[in-house]
Amino acid sequence: MTSRSGSSTLNRPRYEAGKRIAGYAKDLPGLNLRLEACDGASSKAMSDLISSLSLPLAGVMLLSASINDRLFSAHDEDSWSSPFISKVHVFKALEAACSLESLDFIIAFSSATILGSLGQANYAGAHSALDYLLRTLPNAFSLVCPATLDSPLFEATNELNTDVTRWS
């Protein structure tokens, strides 16, 4: 498992469920769980991470997200492009680091359509671009996840939704 902050992510407020799940999974027999700090959008960082594995990489679950919600008319180039880095650039780095066709699976997760945020046009666009890149891979698909009400991502998005509704 990777994030830009690695295992320190689990020490943030509101990440208790993630901390419990990681603690449980680390003790499962036959599972070697690592929580690594990695800039997933960096081809070099992705290659270094994959080459450090003791076993071949079997599959990938892309759960990356970038919250930069605002009304469509309020986006500038930076705010519009941030979710593309977390979706498309991560995929491109993975593609440069390994043979995607050799993996057992690639699952790209999205929450954009379930949350229904007024300000997530950029996130939905980024995931649509990722879907386009996945389209030719027989071992890849996208999955829209239901919202988990007590997750930090959902709570942050709800706070932003309140702001976007107030601003519109």
Side-chain angles (χ1 to χ4, degrees), residues 103-120:
L103 298 175
D104 291 338
F105 60 88
I106 304 167
I107 307 170
F109 292 86
S110 177
S111 59
T113 52
I114 292 295
L115 295 177
S117 171
L118 297 171
Q120 287 193 318

Side-chain angles (χ1 to χ4, degrees), residues 6 8 13 30 43 45 51 53 87 92 100 104 121-122 137-138 146 151 158:
S8 67
S43 296
S51 66
L53 299 174
K87 297 284 186 184
K92 295 279 192 181
L100 299 180
D104 291 338
N122 58 346
L137 296 168
S151 71
N158 269 348

